[in-house]
Amino acid sequence: MVRNSLLSGGGTGYKTPHLKRGWNLSLFPAAQREHLHQKMSENGALPRGGKVLTVDTMNANVKKVDYAVRGPIVQRAVQIEKELKEGVKKPFEEVIKANIGDAHAMGQRPITFFRQVMALCTYPQLLDDNKFPEDAKNRARRILQSCGGNSIGAYTTSQGIECVRHDVANYIQRRDGGIPSDPDNIYLTTGASDGIVTILKLLTAGEGRTRTGVMISIPQYPLYSASIAELGAVQVNYYLNEEKCWSLDISELQRSLQAAREHCNPRVLCIINPGNPTGQVQSRQCIEDVIQFAAKENLFLMADEVYQDNVYAEGCEFHSFKKVLFEMGPEYSSKVELVSFHSTSKCYMGECGFRGGYMEVINMDPEVKAQLTKLVSVRLCPPAPGQALMDLVVNSPKPGEPSYQTFMMERTAILSALAEKAKLTEEILNTVPGIRCNPVQGAMYSFPCITLPERAINEAKAKGQAPDMFYCMKLLEETGICLVPGSGFGQREGTYHFRMTILPPTDKLKILLNKLKEFHQKFTQQYS
């Protein structure tokens, strides 16, 4: 009765003449709740003691955010782990989490030198302990002397510790064959993710057809789609070519850009190289083509290069966007706006929890750069331990120093093992009928294409699930293997994938791959 009186009338389709305290808005359809809430606010009819913040009154953009890497599959995996501890019987003894690029959680040992210096920075009394090598002590002293009160617990400058920014600039200059890098263009960040979101904030502007469009690869890392949704920007998809080992075609960029200009203002092009989730390594020619495209179409470039040491395939090589940009000459190097990102979380380091990273800004308008500095100052500073660790990554032990030999041995062993596991993953997956896996050229993931029976697809849709989500959930429940469905990263219509890391120890990775092989064959038979 009450509801009918509210829903009667013209205009908006419902009137609100006699709103009273204590009414339960959840009784009304979602489309009408916001209108009713507004009217009740105006009439002073909101219930006393009611929640100020509800799902209906919260930031609508946050509700659009989706982050598949830690989505429903992972939440269920955590529940299953608890069930196993409580003695619940399962057809497996442990959950194997191959859903996220968390190297240490998968059993990778930390680099000794890094942890020695971090221990010294955290507890400086250890500087008097003769168990620590002198080069580790010297690095720690230098970092501590750059911190307020000689303590890594003090705030740092918002852009980051000055000596660390100098070391990052020197590292980039060495990496790029002598091309200069200015420490003033370096911003230390809370992992690469923090830098990426910060730059997207600067770029997001306009309304309607003038709203900023952000071009991202499909498949993509969900940080990008989540950040775009949160900021209210427009996601502009361009598809990588799976038939050509996930290569990037300029014709596809052009198609995507032209289509997007019908409804938004594409201003930024994001590239992940080496690729996540697809594991491809872009050729130098491809990078050159992308830079030319960005210059011609007046696009801001964001280069996510956190996997720059993770290159495994013969004939592949990492080329930084900055190096290629400057080698192309002043026609491009003086014009194209570029920000590149790196992190302590990937490569051979795997130090995800320290949240260390940096970004280098190139050709940014000085007035915008001042705004960037202001924006990062609002959060005071990135974590000082993460900054210290970033310094060790870019200023690692040198030949002749006491820690050099051990450091190189550990670094080489980690990268060699990853290369071996990349090849192993590709080889085993390609023996399974209905699974097709491109070479894992770099990064830490494979993103194989899976053929699903029509019955399975229909059952998934009947349950309101994406077919590859249905597949991955079944896989988890029956084998304990936790993967991420391809639908969480984006994929061409009618194709299905999953992403899995290559990080588990080799013996466990073999078990995982063989279990996966058996499951896929059984699943296919069950739904054929």
Side-chain angles (χ1 to χ4, degrees):
M1 185 110 167
V2 171
R3 188 165 166 181
N4 287 340
S5 71
L6 288 172
L7 299 180
S8 63
T12 60
Y14 42 88
K15 296 179 185 177
T16 54
H18 304 299
L19 291 169
K20 296 178 181 177
R21 294 186 190 277
W23 280 0
N24 185 354
L25 292 185
S26 66
L27 295 173
F28 296 91
Q32 289 146 5
R33 284 202 295 265
E34 191 172 341
H35 172 83
L36 295 176
H37 189 280
Q38 181 182 344
K39 288 297 180 184
M40 291 174 81
S41 297
E42 292 168 1
N43 297 343
L46 279 176
R48 286 192 184 94
K51 298 289 187 187
V52 174
L53 181 63
T54 69
V55 172
D56 295 316
T57 62
M58 69 181 285
N59 183 333
N61 286 340
V62 173
K63 290 186 280 187
K64 297 175 187 173
V65 170
D66 189 21
Y67 191 65
V69 173
R70 295 202 173 186
I73 293 266
V74 184
Q75 291 162 19
R76 177 59 187 141
V78 171
Q79 287 177 343
I80 290 173
E81 283 183 316
K82 288 179 182 174
E83 290 169 11
L84 286 169
K85 284 178 184 175
E86 291 165 1
V88 178
K89 294 297 180 187
K90 302 280 183 185
F92 48 86
E93 294 179 356
E94 65 171 333
V95 172
I96 302 177
K97 290 181 180 172
N99 62 293
I100 195 166
D102 190 350
H104 291 186
M106 289 284 100
Q108 181 179 305
R109 298 290 297 277
I111 297 289
T112 301
F113 179 77
F114 292 171
R115 289 303 179 90
Q116 286 174 331
V117 178
M118 295 309 299
L120 292 162
C121 286
T122 307
Y123 191 60
Q125 286 88 329
L126 292 174
L127 287 164
D128 298 324
D129 192 322
N130 60 14
K131 293 189 184 74
F132 290 83
E134 279 306 308
D135 53 346
K137 291 181 179 181
N138 290 337
R139 293 286 203 291
R141 289 188 188 102
R142 181 169 176 264
I143 291 166
L144 289 171
Q145 286 162 9
S146 301
C147 295
N150 289 331
S151 172
I152 204 166
Y155 286 132
T156 74
T157 57
S158 298
Q159 198 168 338
I161 299 169
E162 187 174 1
C163 77
V164 178
R165 290 190 290 112
H166 277 269
D167 286 347
V168 169
N170 289 335
Y171 162 80
I172 292 171
Q173 192 162 321
R174 288 194 310 273
R175 181 198 68 188
D176 292 344
I179 294 166
S181 177
D182 183 351
D184 195 45
N185 289 337
I186 305 297
Y187 289 77
L188 301 182
T189 58
T190 307
S193 303
D194 171 53
I196 289 164
V197 174
T198 299
I199 296 300
L200 287 175
K201 278 185 182 175
L202 289 179
L203 284 155
T204 301
E207 296 296 336
R209 289 188 64 169
T210 66
R211 192 65 171 167
T212 295
V214 181
M215 299 181 70
I216 63 172
S217 62
I218 298 295
Q220 53 101 24
Y221 178 50
L223 164 71
Y224 289 90
S225 55
S227 302
I228 290 165
E230 182 184 354
L231 296 169
V234 179
Q235 180 174 320
V236 177
N237 296 339
Y238 65 88
Y239 290 89
L240 301 177
N241 189 337
E242 185 169 9
E243 303 306 315
K244 295 183 179 177
C245 207
W246 299 111
S247 64
L248 194 164
D249 297 333
I250 297 301
S251 59
E252 170 59 13
L253 286 180
Q254 194 68 59
R255 179 209 62 77
S256 171
L257 181 70
Q258 287 174 345
R261 281 178 172 159
E262 296 295 316
H263 60 89
C264 69
N265 178 23
R267 303 177 66 203
V268 55
L269 172 58
C270 302
I271 308 284
I272 308 175
N273 181 49
N276 176 10
T278 43
Q280 84 285 5
V281 178
Q282 302 295 359
S283 68
R284 192 191 184 287
Q285 184 59 55
C286 175
I287 293 170
E288 219 175 284
D289 293 343
V290 168
I291 290 169
Q292 288 173 347
F293 177 80
K296 178 169 74 83
E297 301 294 349
N298 201 30
L299 295 170
F300 190 106
L301 269 177
M302 293 175 63
D304 182 337
E305 299 176 335
V306 302
Y307 298 98
Q308 57 190 261
D309 291 324
N310 298 112
V311 178
Y312 318 121
E314 197 173 330
C316 289
E317 184 182 349
F318 170 74
H319 302 275
S320 79
F321 264 78
K322 184 193 174 184
K323 182 174 188 282
V324 176
L325 174 64
F326 277 81
E327 287 176 347
M328 290 171 71
E331 178 188 355
Y332 296 98
S333 63
S334 63
K335 174 186 176 185
V336 174
E337 295 157 84
L338 167 70
V339 181
S340 56
F341 306 89
H342 195 19
S343 165
T344 61
S345 300
K346 308 302 178 185
C347 298
Y348 61 94
M349 301 84 72
E351 295 279 12
C352 306
F354 276 99
R355 309 308 299 133
Y358 73 73
M359 59 183 177
E360 182 183 29
V361 301
I362 303 295
N363 291 327
M364 182 173 276
D365 183 293
E367 291 184 11
V368 174
K369 194 174 168 193
Q371 294 294 321
L372 170 59
T373 304
K374 177 186 75 175
L375 183 59
V376 300
S377 71
V378 172
R379 283 173 286 179
L380 297 174
C381 67
Q387 295 184 53
L389 185 62
M390 190 77 250
D391 187 63
L392 304 177
V393 172
V394 298
N395 185 24
S396 55
K398 306 290 187 295
E401 291 182 336
S403 301
Y404 177 74
Q405 191 172 349
T406 301
F407 169 77
M408 287 304 296
M409 182 179 68
E410 292 174 342
R411 181 186 188 276
T412 302
I414 290 168
L415 292 174
S416 297
L418 285 170
E420 178 190 328
K421 289 186 284 188
K423 193 166 182 58
L424 178 73
T425 300
E426 176 201 345
E427 287 175 352
I428 293 180
L429 288 178
N430 280 327
T431 66
V432 186
I435 297 183
R436 181 168 50 84
C437 182
N438 273 321
V440 183
Q441 296 176 334
M444 296 178 171
Y445 317 96
S446 65
F447 196 72
C449 183
I450 53 175
T451 302
L452 300 179
E454 197 65 34
R455 271 186 60 214
I457 293 169
N458 292 337
E459 187 171 326
K461 289 178 179 175
K463 291 185 174 183
Q465 290 183 337
D468 46 16
M469 168 67 87
F470 176 76
Y471 176 92
C472 287
M473 195 64 87
K474 285 261 189 190
L475 175 71
L476 174 62
E477 296 287 354
E478 294 183 23
T479 69
I481 296 170
C482 181
L483 308 180
V484 189
S487 48
F489 300 90
Q491 54 199 352
R492 284 196 181 274
E493 188 71 29
T495 66
Y496 307 107
H497 301 79
F498 59 75
R499 187 190 81 163
M500 63 167 282
T501 73
I502 60 169
L503 291 173
T506 303
D507 56 345
K508 192 170 279 192
L509 182 63
K510 286 178 180 176
I511 293 168
L512 184 159
L513 290 167
N514 285 318
K515 276 188 168 186
L516 179 56
K517 181 177 181 176
E518 289 170 13
F519 169 81
H520 188 83
Q521 290 167 338
K522 180 183 165 189
F523 182 91
T524 302
Q525 287 170 357
Q526 182 183 348
Y527 286 98
S528 291

